[in-house]
């Protein structure tokens, strides 16, 4: 397939914009990309009518699989009740745990597919899905199985993360060490043996797990050959990001309270900073991530929806891009890089996120002229078509 008459945001060295471009796809990969006048001959050309081409978008942090709704907590927060107060009263993550445990696998899959479809409609071709709402062996495995099933029912690649260290389940409220024993000695090894997780995540925070508890989880993950990610410095600065850097983490996510020492640590380790403006918005937080310091240190910044039932019910990757610009001060170029090249790095994937030879042919085509237009409007979706692995899976060319 030779795509012609398009503008290509290759995302190489900035937007890497080629104004009058062509892209050759062979065997599900990009074989050539460049100016249309230099396109290889001997191929049937498909006219793309001047549309903008970007890499397929990547949502690198979601909690897509879960049971039930927590809309009532949204109402509570609007009356002044804090997220931490709700959690201490048995709400928050614990409430979703109860509903997820009660939901059969088919029900979890049905609701997850509805959420997934909203993201696919905006050009997402790769998505990360975490467990963490079971907090027991059977439900965590159930969630990860459902996440794997999504890629068999929709044209999307699903990357999974085991998030057993998300919160303490009610039955272990007075036995933290016992729950960590369950996570480290039973569930994580079972998940690894079954090949259900591509990484291990944890929530290092005052309402969740300490740095030392997280260290134990990461040490076991490393022994099992699983890379790590971390929810860190969202509500306070515990030094979780530095721990993540010590273990060569793929990413640290949220990081509103990240200090300069943490910035320096992840810069040295090559860890990606994942910005989650949806949670910042819904929790009405005041302290934004240190974007200027991250930028100065050369830390790659990804952007994701953090789609979850409590603190970021954001079903739009384009909205997350807009929020990252308006709330956190990213440029539109940084926002687009955050859902393409840098999002791929946050998942340990180096075969996508750029429109360059050798990369997978995951391409989104848009009815817009400038790549910056994707982060600008709110509530408008200019997607025209999606190519995944070289096949048109949405829209028409």
């Amino acid at each position: 397939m030779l795509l012609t008459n398009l503008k290509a945001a290759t995302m190489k060295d900035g937007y890497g914009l080629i104004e009058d471009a062509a892209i050759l796809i062979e065997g599900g990969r990009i074989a050539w990309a460049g100016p249309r006048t230099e396109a290889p001959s001997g191929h049937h050309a498909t006219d793309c009518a001047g549309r903008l081409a970007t890499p397929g978008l990547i949502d690198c942090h979601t909690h897509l699989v879960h049971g039930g709704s927590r809309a009532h907590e949204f109402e509570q927060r609007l009356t002044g009740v804090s997220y931490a107060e709700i959690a201490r009263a048995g709400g928050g993550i614990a409430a979703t745990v109860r509903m997820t445990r009660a939901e059969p696998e088919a029900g979890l899959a049905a609701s997850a597919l509805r959420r997934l479809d909203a993201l696919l409609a905006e050009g997402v071709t790769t998505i990360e899905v975490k467990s963490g709402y079971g907090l027991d062996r059977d439900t965590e495995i159930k969630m990860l199985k459902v996440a794997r099933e999504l890629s068999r029912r929709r044209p999307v690649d699903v990357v999974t993360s085991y998030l057993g260290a998300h919160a303490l389940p009610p039955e272990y409220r007075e036995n933290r060490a016992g729950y960590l024993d369950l996570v480290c000695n039973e569930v994580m090894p079972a998940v690894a043996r079954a090949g259900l997780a591509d990484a291990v995540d944890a929530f290092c925070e005052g309402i969740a797990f300490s740095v030392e508890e997280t260290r134990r989880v990461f040490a076991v993950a490393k022994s099992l050959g699983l890379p790590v990610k971390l929810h860190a410095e969202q509500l306070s600065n515990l030094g979780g990001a530095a721990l993540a850097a010590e273990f060569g983490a793929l990413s640290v996510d949220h990081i509103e309270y990240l200090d300069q020492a943490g910035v320096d640590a992840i810069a040295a380790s090559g860890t990606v900073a994942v910005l989650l403006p949806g949670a910042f918005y819904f929790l009405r937080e005041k302290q934004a991530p240190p974007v200027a310091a991250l930028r100065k240190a050369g830390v790659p910044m990804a952007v994701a929806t953090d789609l979850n039932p409590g603190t970021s019910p954001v079903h739009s990757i384009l909205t997350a891009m807009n929020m990252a610009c308006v709330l956190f001060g990213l440029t539109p170029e940084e926002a687009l890089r955050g859902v393409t090249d840098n999002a791929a790095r946050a998942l340990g994937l180096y075969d996508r996120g750029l429109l360059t030879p050798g990369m997978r042919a995951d391409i989104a085509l848009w009815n817009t002229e400038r790549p910056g237009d994707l982060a600008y409007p709110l509530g408008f979706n200019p997607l025209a078509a999606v190519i995944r692995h070289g096949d048109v899976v949405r829209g028409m060319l």
Side-chain angles (χ1 to χ4, degrees), residues 76-291:
Q76 286 181 287
R77 291 198 302 273
L78 291 176
T79 65
V81 184
S82 73
Y83 175 60
E85 289 171 329
I86 291 171
R88 284 194 292 268
I93 294 168
T96 300
V97 167
R98 291 191 295 272
M99 292 182 281
T100 304
R101 287 179 176 181
E103 188 71 38
E105 196 168 308
L108 289 177
S111 63
L113 285 168
R114 290 193 293 271
R115 300 177 197 111
L116 177 60
D117 285 341
L119 293 166
L120 299 187
E122 292 189 344
V124 169
T125 53
T126 300
I127 188 169
E128 186 257 15
V129 178
K130 304 179 191 296
S131 66
Y133 290 132
L135 307 184
D136 60 18
R137 184 183 186 279
D138 291 346
T139 313
E140 290 290 301
I141 288 175
K142 176 175 67 173
M143 291 182 69
L144 291 168
K145 285 182 176 179
V146 168
R148 288 286 198 226
E149 178 64 22
L150 299 178
S151 63
R152 291 186 278 271
R153 298 176 64 176
R154 292 293 189 272
V156 64
D157 289 311
V158 176
V159 178
T160 57
S161 297
Y162 169 58
L163 181 56
H166 196 193
L168 280 176
E171 63 270 25
Y172 282 93
R173 189 163 293 161
E174 305 301 324
N175 186 9
R176 300 180 67 86
Y179 181 63
L180 285 171
D181 286 343
L182 177 72
V183 168
C184 294
N185 300 337
E186 183 176 343
V187 186
M188 203 189 318
V191 165
R193 284 194 301 270
L196 289 173
D198 301 303
V200 168
D201 201 341
F203 187 16
C204 184
E205 190 52 77
I207 61 172
F209 295 92
S210 70
V211 169
E212 286 310 309
E213 288 169 334
T214 304
R215 180 185 297 279
R216 181 183 174 193
V217 173
F218 280 5
V220 173
K222 183 176 181 180
S223 73
L224 294 170
L226 291 170
V228 297
K229 304 166 67 68
L230 187 63
H231 293 58
E233 273 71 279
Q234 180 185 6
L235 306 172
S236 62
N237 183 4
L238 296 186
L243 173 70
E246 179 185 326
F247 279 85
L250 294 173
S251 72
V252 290
D253 304 35
H254 287 291
I255 59 170
E256 281 88 339
Y257 286 82
L258 184 69
D259 60 13
Q260 187 61 51
V263 171
D264 293 342
I266 63 174
S269 66
T271 298
V272 176
V274 178
L275 308 182
L276 304 173
F280 181 90
Y281 168 82
F282 271 93
L283 292 175
R284 297 194 292 181
E285 294 291 340
K286 303 301 181 185
Q287 180 159 326
V291 166

Side-chain angles (χ1 to χ4, degrees), residues 19-77:
E19 288 288 348
D20 185 8
I23 300 173
L24 177 63
I25 299 171
E26 292 181 339
R29 294 191 174 268
I30 296 172
W32 181 89
R36 177 163 50 158
T37 55
E38 301 174 12
S41 60
H43 301 278
H44 174 72
T46 299
D47 191 316
C48 294
R51 293 186 175 105
L52 172 71
T54 71
L57 304 190
I58 300 169
D59 195 348
C60 65
H61 181 130
T62 83
H63 304 255
L64 189 76
V65 176
H66 63 80
S69 168
R70 279 162 46 200
H72 64 287
E73 292 182 8
F74 175 62
E75 298 171 11
Q76 286 181 287
R77 291 198 302 273

